[in-house]
Amino acid sequence: MSKKILITGVGGQDGYFLAKLLLERGDTVHGLLRGGSEDEIGSLKFLGEAELARIGIHRGDVTEKWFVDELIQRELFDEVFHLAAQSSVARSIGHPRETIDTNVLGLTNIATSIRDRSPKTKLLFTGSSEMFGDLTDGKQSESAPRHPQSPYGLTKDFGFQLINAYRKHYGLWAATAILFNHESEFRGEQFVTKKIIQSVARISAGRDETLSLGNIYAERDWGYAGDYMEGVLDVMALELPDDFVFATGQLHSVKDFVNLAFKHAGIELEWSGEGLDEIARDPSNGKVVVRIDEQFYRPGDIKGTCGDYSKASHQLGWKPRTTLEETISKMIQHEQSKEL
Ligand code: GDR
């Protein structure tokens, strides 16, 4: 049976994939976008015209309780996917208040409106591996110790706990999908993978450019956003709510990602130097194409995260399908099509 669904933060990378999957399933999709003019629709612009026409767009801010109350009470959605967030860890360090407003108040408003005005609505919150902080012992599963290190991570830990409390104390169908890093052609430019890919596309198109990065020895578990949104749908389909990690279980450094991305464009980088003086050259012309810039280092950066998705695998039959090389290939192709 067709469901009535709300995706908050529908203009982001994940909103694109989720909206597409739900439309394919025949659901009635509503999307919430924050303010902006009518043509500001973020990643939704990559949907086909017919698909876009089927999404009911609402404009408003999740931090406004009256707005959220009114929307939830009027529409009585079957399911709400709460994606809206200030999602940059780096930005959260400089702008903790904005991050807390959007992520903490936003989720609290949505969950409380559902509890008080539409208690049959299912609520899925997109959590983050940032709530775990650094890897301590083995890979991080749902029960791994949580030691968030950034304001962003703290808000995601808050969200995880709020969802648990509302489930336990008010009987709400509320679940958290704990997402490790997930990338795609629709990734925002503030994230390191997109920054690297954009630079590779420009350099391979013959532009004179050097990519400046912060800590290239930070390690992440990078998956493909489309795969993770399939998992998120599997969680929402459960009769009883529960929390699940979505990850690949593979650890790569930022430097590995840089090497793979340049290799995909036919450039085998040559590295030399150390610390802030480390550089990479394109051996075909000797040009420096990567350098280190202190301004991109983060205080309290997480050295490494790596997820254990065995619960999702056993209980949902989910596993990541796209390799890191395939993700990089999709991202580069998308960038190159813009360069033409
Ligand atoms: P992250 O993603 O903080 O893991 O959060 P990001 O891509 O911003 O950083 C990954 C790692 O790369 C290092 N790094 C740089 N990062 C950026 N942005 N720019 C640089 O120039 C740069 N140089 C090195 C960072 O220090 C870091 O170690 C992402 C987001 O999608 C969150 O919303 C999500 O919850 C988590 O992943 C899981």
Side-chain angles (χ1 to χ4, degrees), residues 209-250:
E209 170 170 326
T210 309
L211 165 64
S212 297
L213 293 170
N215 181 14
I216 56 172
Y217 292 98
E219 294 179 305
R220 290 291 184 274
D221 177 335
W222 280 295
Y224 185 63
D227 294 351
Y228 288 26
M229 289 307 113
E230 287 176 6
V232 159
L233 280 192
D234 293 340
V235 177
M236 192 61 115
L238 292 173
E239 205 175 311
L240 296 175
D242 203 352
D243 308 318
F244 291 89
V245 157
F246 291 96
T248 70
Q250 313 267 324

Side-chain angles (χ1 to χ4, degrees), residues 1 7 11 18 127 130 173 215 230 233 238 248 250 265 267 278:
M1 209 183 69
I7 305 172
L18 204 50
E130 272 285 313
W173 193 107
N215 181 14
E230 287 176 6
L233 280 192
L238 292 173
T248 70
Q250 313 267 324
I267 304 171
E278 189 164 5

Side-chain angles (χ1 to χ4, degrees), residues 13 85-90 126-131 152 156 179-183 187 189-196 211-222 254 293 295-298 301-305:
Q13 158 188 271
Q86 191 302 96
S87 62
S88 162
V89 176
T126 45
S128 165
S129 52
E130 272 285 313
M131 77 174 180
Y152 170 85
K156 289 292 177 174
L179 305 175
F180 281 63
N181 295 56
H182 49 291
E183 318 300 308
R187 192 57 154 144
E189 294 176 7
Q190 63 275 42
F191 301 101
V192 77
T193 58
K194 183 71 163 188
K195 180 176 171 181
I196 294 166
L211 165 64
S212 297
L213 293 170
N215 181 14
I216 56 172
Y217 292 98
E219 294 179 305
R220 290 291 184 274
D221 177 335
W222 280 295
V254 174
D293 186 333
Q295 67 164 305
F296 299 115
Y297 275 80
R298 283 179 205 167
D301 193 21
I302 286 175
K303 289 193 234 22
T305 49

Side-chain angles (χ1 to χ4, degrees), residues 257-324:
F257 192 98
V258 172
N259 280 327
L260 285 169
F262 274 93
K263 193 171 168 195
H264 192 276
I267 304 171
E268 293 269 2
L269 294 178
E270 270 178 13
W271 293 86
S272 60
E274 268 178 37
L276 291 176
D277 296 325
E278 189 164 5
I279 54 166
R281 289 181 193 276
D282 175 350
S284 71
N285 55 22
K287 282 186 184 164
V288 174
V289 285
V290 186
R291 67 171 74 251
I292 309 300
D293 186 333
E294 210 171 356
Q295 67 164 305
F296 299 115
Y297 275 80
R298 283 179 205 167
D301 193 21
I302 286 175
K303 289 193 234 22
T305 49
C306 192
D308 171 357
Y309 65 90
S310 41
K311 183 174 170 188
S313 165
H314 293 138
Q315 296 187 27
L316 307 172
W318 180 89
K319 62 175 191 322
R321 288 190 288 123
T322 313
T323 64
L324 187 57

Side-chain angles (χ1 to χ4, degrees), residues 70-171:
E70 205 266 326
L71 180 68
I72 296 290
Q73 182 161 348
R74 187 182 68 228
E75 301 287 350
L76 299 175
F77 300 104
D78 295 305
E79 298 173 355
V80 172
F81 293 88
H82 183 54
L83 271 47
Q86 191 302 96
S87 62
S88 162
V89 176
R91 185 170 173 83
S92 82
I93 295 165
H95 301 81
R97 169 79 196 254
E98 172 203 297
T99 308
I100 290 164
D101 270 359
T102 306
N103 299 7
V104 170
L105 267 188
L107 173 65
T108 307
N109 287 341
I110 294 277
T112 309
S113 290
I114 290 176
R115 183 193 71 183
D116 297 342
R117 292 160 192 260
S118 184
K120 290 207 177 94
T121 300
K122 287 172 140 188
L123 170 62
L124 187 140
F125 164 63
T126 45
S128 165
S129 52
E130 272 285 313
M131 77 174 180
F132 296 127
D134 265 320
L135 267 180
T136 43
D137 203 11
K139 294 180 185 175
Q140 291 152 321
S141 70
E142 295 75 7
S143 56
R146 302 194 313 276
H147 301 295
Q149 291 173 196
S150 60
Y152 170 85
L154 285 160
T155 67
K156 289 292 177 174
D157 188 28
F158 168 89
F160 177 69
Q161 297 197 54
L162 182 104
I163 289 288
N164 266 280
Y166 273 43
R167 180 158 81 210
K168 191 167 163 198
H169 303 305
Y170 312 123

